[in-house]
Amino acid sequence: MKIVSSIEDLRDQLSGQLRTAFVPTMGNLHEGHLSLMRLARKHGDPVVASIFVNRLQFGPNEDFDKYPRTFQADVEKLEKEGVYVLFAPTEKDLYPEPQEFRVRPPDDLGGTLEGEFRPAMFTGVTTVVLKLFSCVQPRVAVFGKKDYQQLMIIRNMARQFALPTEIIGAETFRAEDGLALSSRNMYLSEAERAEAPALYRALNFVASEMRAGHLDTFELERRAMLELTSRGWKPDYISVRKRIDLQPPSAGDLAQGTPLVVLAAAKLGNTRLIDNLEI
Ligand code: PAF
């Protein structure tokens, strides 16, 4: 595997490649990331990964400084997956001058759910993803469904800018007890790690009630939040939304069986976890 940090070297390595499959990451790779690499390999060749902890998508009081950085271990994992090039730019490589041009998602999609609690995040994500796409020029790019709203925003961005990159969503990789794998799980204490699958259980509660025909989403969300609160969590939201645009479903949508997803974010101790489940 070639490891490059400058945009120039990356372009040299990839010149003439027309079927590149790209997986952008912030490192601290776990099985979930590796499953994205495997999916990428099915959709293109060569597979290119990036590791870049993108300051633009962290709020002032968020975990940019303490975000886990495990570069050597990540390199070994990517080598085993047969990744061809790892693009690991420094901040100077990717942002040699202040990144004043930004891509701002529309408010109805970027300002809801995560956007309500982390207002700077999606502009930071779309800006870096567009820039990474411009560097790698991938034919396909793979993103996990665990970050459901992120995936949808990137898909819409790619469509509206007519980017030549197909966006592929990968199923969420879960531990045996249901917890979605995430780099932030490593902040959890042993006791919190044992408690953490309660978030997925809360999503399953809402989804199974709805599948059984109980369509009072407001009441289901309220009960799921209450259950988490009673276990010591601080939920930001548990919310049933339409898959197509992440807006709340109307009574008509519910009656017609419009495809839905339930999304959640909650704090356990100092760690904020997110997850979702398609209904
Ligand atoms: O999902 C992530 O790890 C990040 O948001 C991404 C897409 C790599 C952009 O920094």
Side-chain angles (χ1 to χ4, degrees):
M1 182 173 74
K2 304 271 185 324
I3 303 175
V4 295
S5 63
S6 78
I7 296 174
E8 214 188 342
D9 289 347
L10 177 74
R11 291 204 165 126
D12 280 352
Q13 286 296 333
L14 294 180
S15 80
Q17 299 286 5
L18 297 175
R19 296 185 55 241
T20 300
F22 178 44
V23 186
T25 80
M26 298 206 297
N28 191 238
L29 303 180
H30 49 64
E31 271 304 311
H33 293 111
L34 303 183
S35 73
L36 305 186
M37 306 295 158
R38 287 168 208 147
L39 187 59
R41 183 142 13 89
K42 290 196 183 138
H43 288 274
D45 183 36
V47 174
V48 174
S50 67
I51 293 181
F52 181 68
V53 185
N54 174 39
R55 189 186 290 274
L56 296 188
Q57 70 191 73
F58 288 79
N61 299 319
E62 292 182 1
D63 55 346
F64 175 77
D65 288 324
K66 74 165 187 166
Y67 196 85
R69 289 159 174 88
T70 51
F71 190 71
Q72 209 37 55
D74 292 348
V75 165
E76 283 161 27
K77 289 175 187 163
L78 293 176
E79 255 162 359
K80 282 200 193 116
E81 292 302 326
V83 168
Y84 177 66
V85 173
L86 168 60
F87 179 43
T90 62
E91 288 197 283
K92 264 249 155 332
D93 288 314
L94 205 60
Y95 301 131
E97 55 185 291
Q99 184 66 36
E100 285 160 351
F101 286 87
R102 308 253 174 135
V103 183
R104 185 163 179 268
D107 286 343
D108 55 352
L109 194 54
T112 186
L113 300 165
E114 282 304 278
E116 220 176 299
F117 293 88
R118 304 183 64 196
M121 184 177 75
F122 287 123
T123 295
V125 168
T126 43
T127 301
V128 79
V129 167
L130 187 63
K131 191 152 189 179
L132 289 167
F133 281 6
S134 152
C135 299
V136 175
Q137 311 221 336
R139 204 193 63 74
V140 302
V142 181
F143 295 83
K145 280 193 185 176
K146 152 112 183 350
D147 295 300
Y148 204 89
Q149 192 176 4
Q150 166 174 283
L151 169 63
M152 172 152 287
I153 286 173
I154 290 169
R155 229 183 221 144
N156 286 8
M157 173 180 79
R159 195 186 61 244
Q160 286 205 358
F161 282 118
L163 302 181
T165 304
E166 183 192 342
I167 307 300
I168 294 172
E171 291 307 320
T172 300
F173 201 98
R174 298 186 181 279
E176 261 178 30
D177 59 9
L179 178 65
L181 295 201
S182 159
S183 300
R184 290 191 168 97
N185 293 351
M186 68 176 291
Y187 300 146
L188 299 170
S189 68
E190 207 177 307
E192 288 167 346
R193 173 61 190 82
E195 170 59 22
L199 186 63
Y200 184 50
R201 285 202 300 275
L203 292 172
N204 270 299
F205 161 75
V206 175
S208 58
E209 288 291 311
M210 292 200 68
R211 285 184 198 122
H214 302 143
L215 299 180
D216 184 347
T217 52
F218 184 75
E219 175 60 12
L220 294 174
E221 291 161 4
R222 194 187 67 82
R223 281 171 61 193
M225 301 250 281
L226 212 63
E227 167 67 10
L228 285 182
T229 308
S230 74
R231 303 176 67 92
W233 293 69
K234 290 198 184 73
D236 283 343
Y237 59 83
I238 295 185
S239 191
V240 175
R241 298 293 173 106
K242 288 184 284 178
R243 284 192 219 171
I244 184 93
D245 58 6
L246 294 187
Q247 297 307 303
S250 65
D253 292 321
L254 293 170
Q256 282 159 29
T258 300
L260 301 172
V261 55
V262 52
L263 305 100
K267 260 184 125 182
L268 183 56
N270 290 323
T271 308
R272 189 170 179 280
L273 300 178
I274 63 169
D275 201 352
N276 64 80
L277 191 58
E278 289 176 336
I279 298 173

